Amino acid sequence: MTHQILEFEKPIVALEEKLHQLLDESQRSDIDLSDQINEMRARLIETKEEIYANLTPWQRVQIARHTQRPFMLDYVGHCFDDFLELHGDRHIGDDQSMPGGIARLDGMACVVLGHQKGRDTKENLLRNFGSAHPEGYRKSLRLMRMAEKFNMPIVAFIDTPGAFPGIGAEERNIAEAIAFNLREMMRIKTPIVAVVIGEGGSGGALGIGVADRVLMMENAYYSVISPEGCAAILWKHRKHAPEAAEAMKIAAPDLAELGLIDGVINEPKGGAHQNPESAAAALKGAIAAQIAELTKLDDEELLNQRYEKYRKFGEWTEA
């Protein structure tokens, strides 16, 4: 697969190409170019530091959508053992865009579920580009109730541009499926940890996002609407998506500052796709720490804290 180069990364790519040219020329011509090579390496490091330390919300959105970014099943493979996928919502059928099942996290049995995208056209069609149908949300709730029955914690991976808005999904009550999950997840008597690993789009994300702890990868975003959608409404053109991303405060650092999420998981420089193993290790550590803390609570305290967490959202005072 061709590596996707984002627009703001082009200065880095240009310097990397110049560095390779110097190395090739030095080797081919047997000329000592160590000074130029060291200078180019220093410039490359400095440029990477400057670009990745000052990412805008729109640039983080682009990283969140990167085609080589780790998806839900990638993280499951890195972070969990003995994953057994379970299928079907026991009403209509299965939804490949919302896989889920049983796995072990450091020996602890848990239920893992989430949105799954594809890397090519064939897989994206199978996974419906990560946009779940009603069956996906009903299947996820079935698995969460199973987790409650057997006292297993729940880990939900959020990565969707939004729930599927097609006619079939509307006929099978996509809005009701999501709304039902919102209510029922408030009542589940077992710890729930949700992690936004890429895109966190609207109700499609919230349908599995009511949790005791909501974490975000550093370059993920979580929003009621996509930046392009917001720009089309407010500015009447998608070209204003960068301004919309800035105004909506959809990036992980902004949401953490506003108290809407419980933690930000650091990614390798340039995004999780640059070093998936390192990103997965950080993710696993964060999830394990939250579950260890939540399992100390009894059912009543767990539900009370979950209730208070969401009651606080939207509170404000006039200066």
CSV table of all heavy atoms in Angstrom, one decimal, residues 40-92:
chain,number,residue,atom,x,y,z
A,40,MET,N,21.7,18.0,7.4
A,40,MET,CA,20.4,17.7,6.9
A,40,MET,C,19.6,16.9,7.9
A,40,MET,O,18.4,17.1,8.1
A,40,MET,CB,20.5,16.9,5.6
A,40,MET,CG,19.2,16.6,4.8
A,40,MET,SD,18.4,18.2,4.4
A,40,MET,CE,19.6,18.8,3.2
A,41,ARG,N,20.3,16.0,8.6
A,41,ARG,CA,19.6,15.2,9.7
A,41,ARG,C,19.1,16.2,10.8
A,41,ARG,O,18.0,16.0,11.3
A,41,ARG,CB,20.5,14.2,10.2
A,41,ARG,CG,20.7,12.9,9.3
A,41,ARG,CD,21.6,12.0,9.9
A,41,ARG,NE,21.6,10.7,9.2
A,41,ARG,CZ,22.6,9.9,9.1
A,41,ARG,NH1,23.8,10.2,9.7
A,41,ARG,NH2,22.6,8.8,8.4
A,42,ALA,N,19.9,17.1,11.1
A,42,ALA,CA,19.5,18.1,12.2
A,42,ALA,C,18.3,18.9,11.7
A,42,ALA,O,17.4,19.2,12.5
A,42,ALA,CB,20.7,19.0,12.5
A,43,ARG,N,18.4,19.3,10.4
A,43,ARG,CA,17.2,20.1,9.9
A,43,ARG,C,16.0,19.3,9.9
A,43,ARG,O,14.9,19.7,10.2
A,43,ARG,CB,17.5,20.6,8.5
A,43,ARG,CG,18.5,21.8,8.4
A,43,ARG,CD,18.7,22.2,7.0
A,43,ARG,NE,17.5,22.5,6.3
A,43,ARG,CZ,17.4,22.7,5.0
A,43,ARG,NH1,18.5,22.5,4.2
A,43,ARG,NH2,16.2,23.0,4.4
A,44,LEU,N,16.1,18.0,9.6
A,44,LEU,CA,15.0,17.1,9.5
A,44,LEU,C,14.4,16.9,10.9
A,44,LEU,O,13.1,17.0,11.1
A,44,LEU,CB,15.4,15.7,9.0
A,44,LEU,CG,14.3,14.6,8.9
A,44,LEU,CD1,13.2,15.1,8.0
A,44,LEU,CD2,14.9,13.4,8.3
A,45,ILE,N,15.2,16.7,11.9
A,45,ILE,CA,14.7,16.5,13.3
A,45,ILE,C,14.0,17.8,13.7
A,45,ILE,O,12.9,17.8,14.3
A,45,ILE,CB,15.9,16.2,14.2
A,45,ILE,CG1,16.4,14.8,13.9
A,45,ILE,CG2,15.5,16.3,15.7
A,45,ILE,CD1,17.7,14.4,14.6
A,46,GLU,N,14.6,19.0,13.5
A,46,GLU,CA,14.1,20.2,13.9
A,46,GLU,C,12.7,20.5,13.2
A,46,GLU,O,11.8,21.0,13.8
A,46,GLU,CB,15.0,21.4,13.5
A,46,GLU,CG,14.6,22.7,13.9
A,46,GLU,CD,15.6,23.8,13.6
A,46,GLU,OE1,16.7,23.5,13.1
A,46,GLU,OE2,15.2,25.0,13.7
A,47,THR,N,12.6,20.1,11.9
A,47,THR,CA,11.3,20.3,11.2
A,47,THR,C,10.3,19.5,11.7
A,47,THR,O,9.1,19.9,11.9
A,47,THR,CB,11.6,20.1,9.7
A,47,THR,OG1,12.6,20.9,9.2
A,47,THR,CG2,10.3,20.3,8.9
A,48,LYS,N,10.6,18.2,12.0
A,48,LYS,CA,9.6,17.3,12.6
A,48,LYS,C,9.1,17.8,14.0
A,48,LYS,O,7.9,17.8,14.2
A,48,LYS,CB,10.2,15.9,12.8
A,48,LYS,CG,10.3,15.1,11.5
A,48,LYS,CD,10.8,13.7,11.8
A,48,LYS,CE,10.8,12.8,10.5
A,48,LYS,NZ,11.3,11.4,10.8
A,49,GLU,N,10.1,18.2,14.8
A,49,GLU,CA,9.7,18.8,16.1
A,49,GLU,C,8.7,19.9,16.0
A,49,GLU,O,7.7,20.0,16.7
A,49,GLU,CB,10.9,19.2,16.9
A,49,GLU,CG,11.8,18.0,17.3
A,49,GLU,CD,11.3,17.3,18.5
A,49,GLU,OE1,10.3,17.8,19.1
A,49,GLU,OE2,11.8,16.3,18.9
A,50,GLU,N,9.1,20.8,15.1
A,50,GLU,CA,8.3,22.1,14.9
A,50,GLU,C,6.9,21.7,14.4
A,50,GLU,O,5.9,22.3,14.9
A,50,GLU,CB,9.0,23.0,13.9
A,50,GLU,CG,8.2,24.3,13.8
A,50,GLU,CD,9.0,25.3,12.8
A,50,GLU,OE1,10.1,25.0,12.4
A,50,GLU,OE2,8.4,26.3,12.5
A,51,ILE,N,6.8,20.8,13.4
A,51,ILE,CA,5.5,20.5,12.8
A,51,ILE,C,4.6,19.7,13.8
A,51,ILE,O,3.4,20.1,14.0
A,51,ILE,CB,5.6,19.8,11.5
A,51,ILE,CG1,6.2,20.7,10.4
A,51,ILE,CG2,4.3,19.2,11.0
A,51,ILE,CD1,6.5,20.0,9.1
A,52,TYR,N,5.1,18.7,14.3
A,52,TYR,CA,4.3,17.8,15.2
A,52,TYR,C,4.0,18.3,16.5
A,52,TYR,O,3.1,17.9,17.2
A,52,TYR,CB,5.0,16.4,15.3
A,52,TYR,CG,5.0,15.6,14.0
A,52,TYR,CD1,6.1,15.0,13.5
A,52,TYR,CD2,3.9,15.6,13.2
A,52,TYR,CE1,6.2,14.3,12.3
A,52,TYR,CE2,3.9,14.9,12.0
A,52,TYR,CZ,5.0,14.3,11.5
A,52,TYR,OH,5.0,13.6,10.3
A,53,ALA,N,4.8,19.3,17.0
A,53,ALA,CA,4.5,19.9,18.3
A,53,ALA,C,3.5,21.0,18.2
A,53,ALA,O,3.0,21.5,19.2
A,53,ALA,CB,5.8,20.5,18.9
A,54,ASN,N,3.1,21.4,17.0
A,54,ASN,CA,2.2,22.5,16.8
A,54,ASN,C,1.0,22.2,15.8
A,54,ASN,O,0.6,23.0,15.0
A,54,ASN,CB,2.9,23.8,16.3
A,54,ASN,CG,4.0,24.3,17.2
A,54,ASN,OD1,3.7,24.9,18.2
A,54,ASN,ND2,5.2,24.0,16.9
A,55,LEU,N,0.5,21.0,16.0
A,55,LEU,CA,-0.6,20.5,15.1
A,55,LEU,C,-1.8,21.3,15.4
A,55,LEU,O,-2.2,21.5,16.6
A,55,LEU,CB,-0.8,19.0,15.3
A,55,LEU,CG,0.3,18.1,14.8
A,55,LEU,CD1,0.0,16.6,15.3
A,55,LEU,CD2,0.4,18.1,13.3
A,56,THR,N,-2.5,21.7,14.3
A,56,THR,CA,-3.8,22.3,14.5
A,56,THR,C,-4.9,21.2,14.6
A,56,THR,O,-4.7,20.1,14.3
A,56,THR,CB,-4.1,23.2,13.3
A,56,THR,OG1,-4.3,22.3,12.1
A,56,THR,CG2,-3.0,24.2,13.0
A,57,PRO,N,-6.1,21.6,15.1
A,57,PRO,CA,-7.2,20.6,15.2
A,57,PRO,C,-7.5,20.0,13.8
A,57,PRO,O,-7.7,18.7,13.7
A,57,PRO,CB,-8.4,21.4,15.7
A,57,PRO,CG,-7.8,22.5,16.5
A,57,PRO,CD,-6.5,22.8,15.8
A,58,TRP,N,-7.4,20.7,12.7
A,58,TRP,CA,-7.7,20.2,11.4
A,58,TRP,C,-6.6,19.2,11.0
A,58,TRP,O,-6.9,18.1,10.4
A,58,TRP,CB,-7.8,21.3,10.4
A,58,TRP,CG,-8.0,20.8,9.0
A,58,TRP,CD1,-7.1,21.0,7.9
A,58,TRP,CD2,-9.1,20.0,8.5
A,58,TRP,NE1,-7.6,20.4,6.8
A,58,TRP,CE2,-8.8,19.7,7.1
A,58,TRP,CE3,-10.2,19.5,9.0
A,58,TRP,CZ2,-9.7,19.0,6.3
A,58,TRP,CZ3,-11.1,18.7,8.3
A,58,TRP,CH2,-10.8,18.5,6.9
A,59,GLN,N,-5.4,19.4,11.3
A,59,GLN,CA,-4.3,18.5,11.1
A,59,GLN,C,-4.4,17.2,11.9
A,59,GLN,O,-4.2,16.1,11.4
A,59,GLN,CB,-2.9,19.1,11.3
A,59,GLN,CG,-2.6,20.2,10.3
A,59,GLN,CD,-1.4,21.1,10.7
A,59,GLN,OE1,-1.0,21.1,11.9
A,59,GLN,NE2,-0.8,21.7,9.8
A,60,ARG,N,-4.9,17.3,13.1
A,60,ARG,CA,-5.2,16.1,13.9
A,60,ARG,C,-6.3,15.3,13.3
A,60,ARG,O,-6.3,14.1,13.3
A,60,ARG,CB,-5.5,16.5,15.3
A,60,ARG,CG,-4.4,17.1,16.1
A,60,ARG,CD,-4.7,17.3,17.6
A,60,ARG,NE,-3.7,18.0,18.3
A,60,ARG,CZ,-2.6,17.5,18.8
A,60,ARG,NH1,-2.3,16.2,18.6
A,60,ARG,NH2,-1.7,18.2,19.4
A,61,VAL,N,-7.3,16.0,12.7
A,61,VAL,CA,-8.4,15.3,12.0
A,61,VAL,C,-7.9,14.5,10.8
A,61,VAL,O,-8.2,13.3,10.6
A,61,VAL,CB,-9.5,16.3,11.5
A,61,VAL,CG1,-10.5,15.6,10.6
A,61,VAL,CG2,-10.2,16.9,12.7
A,62,GLN,N,-6.9,15.1,10.1
A,62,GLN,CA,-6.3,14.4,9.0
A,62,GLN,C,-5.5,13.2,9.4
A,62,GLN,O,-5.6,12.1,8.8
A,62,GLN,CB,-5.4,15.4,8.2
A,62,GLN,CG,-6.1,16.5,7.5
A,62,GLN,CD,-5.2,17.5,6.9
A,62,GLN,OE1,-4.6,18.3,7.5
A,62,GLN,NE2,-5.1,17.4,5.6
A,63,ILE,N,-4.8,13.3,10.5
A,63,ILE,CA,-4.1,12.1,11.1
A,63,ILE,C,-5.1,11.1,11.5
A,63,ILE,O,-4.9,9.9,11.3
A,63,ILE,CB,-3.2,12.6,12.2
A,63,ILE,CG1,-2.1,13.5,11.7
A,63,ILE,CG2,-2.6,11.3,12.9
A,63,ILE,CD1,-1.2,14.0,12.8
A,64,ALA,N,-6.2,11.5,12.2
A,64,ALA,CA,-7.2,10.5,12.6
A,64,ALA,C,-7.8,9.7,11.5
A,64,ALA,O,-8.2,8.6,11.7
A,64,ALA,CB,-8.3,11.3,13.3
A,65,ARG,N,-7.8,10.3,10.3
A,65,ARG,CA,-8.4,9.6,9.1
A,65,ARG,C,-7.3,8.9,8.2
A,65,ARG,O,-7.6,8.4,7.2
A,65,ARG,CB,-9.1,10.6,8.2
A,65,ARG,CG,-10.3,11.2,8.9
A,65,ARG,CD,-10.9,12.4,8.1
A,65,ARG,NE,-12.1,12.9,8.6
A,65,ARG,CZ,-12.7,14.1,8.2
A,65,ARG,NH1,-12.1,14.8,7.2
A,65,ARG,NH2,-13.8,14.5,8.7
A,66,HIS,N,-6.1,8.9,8.7
A,66,HIS,CA,-5.0,8.4,7.9
A,66,HIS,C,-5.2,6.9,7.6
A,66,HIS,O,-5.7,6.1,8.4
A,66,HIS,CB,-3.7,8.5,8.7
A,66,HIS,CG,-2.4,8.4,7.8
A,66,HIS,ND1,-2.0,7.2,7.3
A,66,HIS,CD2,-1.6,9.3,7.4
A,66,HIS,CE1,-0.9,7.4,6.6
A,66,HIS,NE2,-0.6,8.7,6.6
A,67,THR,N,-5.0,6.5,6.3
A,67,THR,CA,-5.4,5.2,5.9
A,67,THR,C,-4.5,4.1,6.5
A,67,THR,O,-4.9,2.9,6.6
A,67,THR,CB,-5.3,5.1,4.4
A,67,THR,OG1,-3.9,5.5,3.9
A,67,THR,CG2,-6.3,5.9,3.7
A,68,GLN,N,-3.3,4.4,7.0
A,68,GLN,CA,-2.4,3.4,7.7
A,68,GLN,C,-2.6,3.4,9.2
A,68,GLN,O,-1.9,2.7,9.9
A,68,GLN,CB,-1.0,3.7,7.3
A,68,GLN,CG,-0.6,3.1,5.9
A,68,GLN,CD,-0.8,4.1,4.8
A,68,GLN,OE1,-0.5,5.3,4.9
A,68,GLN,NE2,-1.3,3.6,3.7
A,69,ARG,N,-3.5,4.3,9.7
A,69,ARG,CA,-3.7,4.3,11.1
A,69,ARG,C,-4.2,3.0,11.7
A,69,ARG,O,-5.0,2.4,11.0
A,69,ARG,CB,-4.6,5.4,11.5
A,69,ARG,CG,-4.7,5.8,13.0
A,69,ARG,CD,-5.6,7.0,13.2
A,69,ARG,NE,-5.8,7.3,14.6
A,69,ARG,CZ,-4.9,8.0,15.3
A,69,ARG,NH1,-3.8,8.4,14.8
A,69,ARG,NH2,-5.1,8.3,16.6
A,70,PRO,N,-3.7,2.5,12.9
A,70,PRO,CA,-4.3,1.3,13.4
A,70,PRO,C,-5.8,1.4,13.7
A,70,PRO,O,-6.3,2.4,14.2
A,70,PRO,CB,-3.5,1.1,14.7
A,70,PRO,CG,-2.3,2.0,14.6
A,70,PRO,CD,-2.7,3.1,13.7
A,71,PHE,N,-6.5,0.3,13.3
A,71,PHE,CA,-7.9,0.2,13.5
A,71,PHE,C,-8.2,-0.6,14.7
A,71,PHE,O,-7.3,-1.2,15.4
A,71,PHE,CB,-8.6,-0.3,12.3
A,71,PHE,CG,-8.5,0.5,11.1
A,71,PHE,CD1,-8.4,0.0,9.8
A,71,PHE,CD2,-8.5,1.9,11.2
A,71,PHE,CE1,-8.4,0.8,8.7
A,71,PHE,CE2,-8.4,2.7,10.1
A,71,PHE,CZ,-8.3,2.2,8.8
A,72,MET,N,-9.5,-0.8,15.0
A,72,MET,CA,-9.9,-1.5,16.2
A,72,MET,C,-9.3,-2.9,16.3
A,72,MET,O,-8.7,-3.3,17.3
A,72,MET,CB,-11.4,-1.6,16.2
A,72,MET,CG,-12.0,-2.3,17.4
A,72,MET,SD,-12.7,-3.9,16.9
A,72,MET,CE,-13.4,-4.5,18.5
A,73,LEU,N,-9.4,-3.7,15.3
A,73,LEU,CA,-8.9,-5.1,15.3
A,73,LEU,C,-7.4,-5.1,15.4
A,73,LEU,O,-6.8,-6.1,15.9
A,73,LEU,CB,-9.4,-5.9,14.1
A,73,LEU,CG,-11.0,-6.2,14.2
A,73,LEU,CD1,-11.4,-6.9,12.9
A,73,LEU,CD2,-11.4,-6.9,15.4
A,74,ASP,N,-6.7,-4.1,14.9
A,74,ASP,CA,-5.3,-4.0,15.0
A,74,ASP,C,-4.9,-3.9,16.5
A,74,ASP,O,-4.0,-4.6,17.0
A,74,ASP,CB,-4.7,-2.8,14.3
A,74,ASP,CG,-4.9,-2.9,12.8
A,74,ASP,OD1,-4.7,-4.0,12.2
A,74,ASP,OD2,-5.3,-1.9,12.1
A,75,TYR,N,-5.6,-3.0,17.2
A,75,TYR,CA,-5.3,-2.8,18.6
A,75,TYR,C,-5.7,-4.0,19.4
A,75,TYR,O,-5.0,-4.4,20.4
A,75,TYR,CB,-6.1,-1.6,19.2
A,75,TYR,CG,-5.5,-0.3,18.8
A,75,TYR,CD1,-6.2,0.7,18.1
A,75,TYR,CD2,-4.1,0.0,19.1
A,75,TYR,CE1,-5.6,1.9,17.8
A,75,TYR,CE2,-3.5,1.2,18.8
A,75,TYR,CZ,-4.3,2.2,18.1
A,75,TYR,OH,-3.7,3.4,17.8
A,76,VAL,N,-6.8,-4.7,19.1
A,76,VAL,CA,-7.2,-5.9,19.8
A,76,VAL,C,-6.1,-7.0,19.6
A,76,VAL,O,-5.8,-7.6,20.6
A,76,VAL,CB,-8.5,-6.5,19.2
A,76,VAL,CG1,-8.8,-7.9,19.7
A,76,VAL,CG2,-9.7,-5.5,19.5
A,77,GLY,N,-5.5,-7.1,18.4
A,77,GLY,CA,-4.5,-8.0,18.2
A,77,GLY,C,-3.2,-7.7,19.1
A,77,GLY,O,-2.5,-8.6,19.5
A,78,HIS,N,-2.9,-6.5,19.2
A,78,HIS,CA,-1.7,-6.0,20.0
A,78,HIS,C,-2.0,-6.1,21.5
A,78,HIS,O,-1.0,-6.4,22.3
A,78,HIS,CB,-1.3,-4.6,19.6
A,78,HIS,CG,-0.6,-4.6,18.3
A,78,HIS,ND1,0.7,-5.1,18.1
A,78,HIS,CD2,-0.9,-3.9,17.1
A,78,HIS,CE1,1.1,-4.9,16.9
A,78,HIS,NE2,0.2,-4.2,16.2
A,79,CYS,N,-3.1,-5.7,22.0
A,79,CYS,CA,-3.4,-5.5,23.4
A,79,CYS,C,-4.0,-6.6,24.1
A,79,CYS,O,-3.9,-6.7,25.3
A,79,CYS,CB,-4.2,-4.2,23.6
A,79,CYS,SG,-3.6,-2.7,22.9
A,80,PHE,N,-4.8,-7.5,23.4
A,80,PHE,CA,-5.5,-8.5,24.0
A,80,PHE,C,-5.1,-9.9,23.6
A,80,PHE,O,-4.5,-10.1,22.5
A,80,PHE,CB,-7.0,-8.4,23.7
A,80,PHE,CG,-7.6,-7.1,24.3
A,80,PHE,CD1,-7.5,-5.9,23.5
A,80,PHE,CD2,-8.3,-7.0,25.5
A,80,PHE,CE1,-8.0,-4.7,24.0
A,80,PHE,CE2,-8.8,-5.9,26.0
A,80,PHE,CZ,-8.7,-4.7,25.2
A,81,ASP,N,-5.4,-10.9,24.4
A,81,ASP,CA,-5.1,-12.3,24.1
A,81,ASP,C,-6.5,-13.1,23.9
A,81,ASP,O,-7.5,-12.7,24.5
A,81,ASP,CB,-4.3,-13.0,25.2
A,81,ASP,CG,-3.0,-12.3,25.3
A,81,ASP,OD1,-2.3,-12.0,24.3
A,81,ASP,OD2,-2.6,-12.0,26.5
A,82,ASP,N,-6.4,-14.1,23.1
A,82,ASP,CA,-7.5,-15.1,23.0
A,82,ASP,C,-8.8,-14.4,22.6
A,82,ASP,O,-9.9,-14.8,23.1
A,82,ASP,CB,-7.8,-15.8,24.3
A,82,ASP,CG,-6.5,-16.5,24.8
A,82,ASP,OD1,-5.7,-17.0,24.0
A,82,ASP,OD2,-6.3,-16.6,26.1
A,83,PHE,N,-8.7,-13.5,21.6
A,83,PHE,CA,-10.0,-12.8,21.2
A,83,PHE,C,-10.9,-13.8,20.4
A,83,PHE,O,-10.4,-14.4,19.5
A,83,PHE,CB,-9.6,-11.6,20.3
A,83,PHE,CG,-10.8,-10.9,19.7
A,83,PHE,CD1,-11.8,-10.3,20.5
A,83,PHE,CD2,-11.0,-10.9,18.3
A,83,PHE,CE1,-12.9,-9.7,20.0
A,83,PHE,CE2,-12.1,-10.2,17.8
A,83,PHE,CZ,-13.1,-9.6,18.6
A,84,LEU,N,-12.1,-13.9,20.8
A,84,LEU,CA,-13.1,-14.7,20.2
A,84,LEU,C,-14.3,-13.8,19.7
A,84,LEU,O,-15.0,-13.3,20.6
A,84,LEU,CB,-13.6,-15.8,21.1
A,84,LEU,CG,-14.8,-16.7,20.6
A,84,LEU,CD1,-14.3,-17.5,19.4
A,84,LEU,CD2,-15.3,-17.6,21.7
A,85,GLU,N,-14.4,-13.6,18.4
A,85,GLU,CA,-15.5,-12.8,17.9
A,85,GLU,C,-16.8,-13.5,18.0
A,85,GLU,O,-16.9,-14.6,17.6
A,85,GLU,CB,-15.2,-12.3,16.5
A,85,GLU,CG,-16.2,-11.3,16.0
A,85,GLU,CD,-15.8,-10.7,14.6
A,85,GLU,OE1,-14.7,-11.0,14.1
A,85,GLU,OE2,-16.6,-9.9,14.1
A,86,LEU,N,-17.8,-12.7,18.4
A,86,LEU,CA,-19.2,-13.2,18.5
A,86,LEU,C,-20.0,-12.4,17.5
A,86,LEU,O,-19.8,-11.2,17.3
A,86,LEU,CB,-19.7,-13.0,19.9
A,86,LEU,CG,-18.9,-13.8,21.0
A,86,LEU,CD1,-19.5,-13.5,22.4
A,86,LEU,CD2,-18.9,-15.3,20.8
A,87,HIS,N,-21.0,-13.0,16.9
A,87,HIS,CA,-21.8,-12.4,15.8
A,87,HIS,C,-23.3,-12.4,16.1
A,87,HIS,O,-23.8,-13.1,16.9
A,87,HIS,CB,-21.5,-13.2,14.5
A,87,HIS,CG,-20.1,-13.3,14.1
A,87,HIS,ND1,-19.5,-12.4,13.3
A,87,HIS,CD2,-19.1,-14.2,14.4
A,87,HIS,CE1,-18.3,-12.7,13.1
A,87,HIS,NE2,-18.0,-13.8,13.7
A,88,GLY,N,-23.9,-11.4,15.5
A,88,GLY,CA,-25.3,-11.3,15.4
A,88,GLY,C,-26.0,-10.6,16.6
A,88,GLY,O,-25.5,-10.6,17.7
A,89,ASP,N,-27.1,-9.9,16.3
A,89,ASP,CA,-27.8,-9.1,17.3
A,89,ASP,C,-29.0,-9.8,17.8
A,89,ASP,O,-29.8,-9.3,18.7
A,89,ASP,CB,-28.2,-7.7,16.7
A,89,ASP,CG,-29.3,-7.9,15.6
A,89,ASP,OD1,-29.5,-9.0,15.1
A,89,ASP,OD2,-29.9,-6.8,15.3
A,90,ARG,N,-29.3,-11.1,17.3
A,90,ARG,CA,-30.4,-11.9,17.7
A,90,ARG,C,-31.8,-11.3,17.3
A,90,ARG,O,-32.8,-11.6,17.8
A,90,ARG,CB,-30.4,-12.2,19.2
A,90,ARG,CG,-29.2,-12.8,19.8
A,90,ARG,CD,-28.9,-14.2,19.1
A,90,ARG,NE,-27.8,-14.9,19.7
A,90,ARG,CZ,-26.6,-14.9,19.2
A,90,ARG,NH1,-26.3,-14.2,18.1
A,90,ARG,NH2,-25.6,-15.6,19.7
A,91,HIS,N,-31.7,-10.3,16.4
A,91,HIS,CA,-33.0,-9.7,15.8
A,91,HIS,C,-33.0,-9.7,14.3
A,91,HIS,O,-33.9,-10.3,13.7
A,91,HIS,CB,-33.1,-8.2,16.3
A,91,HIS,CG,-33.3,-8.1,17.8
A,91,HIS,ND1,-34.6,-8.3,18.3
A,91,HIS,CD2,-32.5,-7.7,18.8
A,91,HIS,CE1,-34.5,-8.1,19.6
A,91,HIS,NE2,-33.2,-7.8,19.9
A,92,ILE,N,-31.9,-9.2,13.7
A,92,ILE,CA,-31.9,-9.0,12.2
A,92,ILE,C,-30.7,-9.8,11.7
A,92,ILE,O,-30.9,-10.6,10.7
A,92,ILE,CB,-31.8,-7.6,11.8
A,92,ILE,CG1,-33.0,-6.8,12.3
A,92,ILE,CG2,-31.7,-7.5,10.3
A,92,ILE,CD1,-34.3,-7.2,11.7
